[in-house]
Amino acid sequence: QVQLVESGGGLVQAGGSLRLSCAASGRTTSSYAMGWFRQAPGKEREVVATINWTGAWIYYADSVKGRFTISRDNAKNMVYLQMNSLKPADTAVYYCAAREYIASMNPIEYDYWGQGTQVTVSS
């Protein structure tokens, strides 16, 4: 079992920045691909960014490319999402997720999920 806890969400003005953190515990997550997903009210959960277990392969949704950066620190069992130039359209609950080895953009393929952290961007 893997437990994931997100933190770092909050209210920020458009153009501002936030850094989300995901702390993993339980089984070692160094062999797990990690992903950040988000879900806005009335919308389906969508991928934001994913990183494979080595950190060598990273995917970004087109909507966040150039503004968001995903990273991981396997020694600390942490995954981060640096979000810059935030827009009101980025408002959502952000979730951290894990699956073994190979990253995926499909949330259905992830085995473990955190409880989510709210990000609200005001205009």
Side-chain angles (χ1 to χ4, degrees), residues 61-106:
D62 287 343
S63 59
V64 306
K65 202 171 294 182
R67 301 188 296 122
F68 291 10
T69 302
I70 188 172
S71 61
R72 65 187 300 162
D73 184 337
N74 286 342
K76 296 182 179 179
N77 279 344
M78 295 291 296
V79 179
Y80 306 99
L81 185 68
Q82 178 66 43
M83 306 186 295
N84 299 328
S85 302
L86 282 161
K87 306 174 181 180
D90 295 317
T91 295
V93 177
Y94 283 71
Y95 297 91
C96 175
R99 71 186 301 264
E100 287 194 278
Y101 300 114
I102 301 173
S104 170
M105 288 79 82
N106 188 344

Side-chain angles (χ1 to χ4, degrees), residues 12-82:
V12 64
Q13 288 187 331
S17 298
L18 284 174
R19 188 194 195 205
L20 304 185
S21 298
C22 175
S25 61
R27 297 174 63 181
T28 178
T29 56
S30 60
S31 62
Y32 281 72
M34 304 296 293
W36 285 99
F37 295 81
R38 67 186 181 186
Q39 188 166 18
K43 295 188 177 181
E44 293 186 352
R45 192 168 297 189
E46 63 176 5
V47 64
V48 175
T50 63
I51 185 168
N52 78 333
W53 69 288
T54 66
W57 184 90
I58 292 174
Y59 167 86
Y60 293 104
D62 287 343
S63 59
V64 306
K65 202 171 294 182
R67 301 188 296 122
F68 291 10
T69 302
I70 188 172
S71 61
R72 65 187 300 162
D73 184 337
N74 286 342
K76 296 182 179 179
N77 279 344
M78 295 291 296
V79 179
Y80 306 99
L81 185 68
Q82 178 66 43

